[in-house]
Amino acid sequence: YTEEEARKLGVVGWVKNTSQGTVTGQVQGPEDKVNAMKSWLSKVGSPSSRIDRTSFSNEKEISKLDFSGFSTRY
């Protein structure tokens, strides 16, 4: 679901479920699209997810994208 939403919004990066029951990842793209993805991650998420809180860090402008698509890491 997260990959599908990222593709719809046009952002790149990755997500990974952690052993602590949290999700970590990286999202890159135009600021408005990244903000839309952050909103989706904070309020909607995948159907089976439970969102207690979100924390976004290390936000910065970049000169070029580090990823060509969006993937789930295992």
Side-chain angles (χ1 to χ4, degrees):
Y1 291 96
T2 304
E3 286 181 35
E4 184 179 327
E5 188 66 20
R7 287 189 190 104
K8 272 198 281 188
L9 291 172
V11 295
V12 297
W14 58 272
V15 290
K16 179 179 181 176
N17 293 317
T18 70
S19 58
Q20 293 82 29
T22 63
V23 178
T24 187
Q26 189 170 10
V27 176
Q28 296 179 347
E31 185 177 8
D32 60 330
K33 293 181 179 185
V34 170
N35 286 337
M37 186 67 181
K38 286 166 55 179
S39 178
W40 184 86
L41 290 166
S42 299
K43 299 178 175 118
V44 182
S46 61
S48 61
S49 66
R50 187 185 89 216
I51 304 166
D52 294 325
R53 66 182 175 90
T54 54
S55 174
F56 301 99
S57 60
N58 300 326
E59 295 184 47
K60 61 185 175 193
E61 283 194 28
I62 56 174
S63 58
K64 68 178 185 64
L65 301 175
D66 296 322
F67 307 97
S68 59
F70 200 93
S71 63
T72 302
R73 295 184 176 179
Y74 298 95

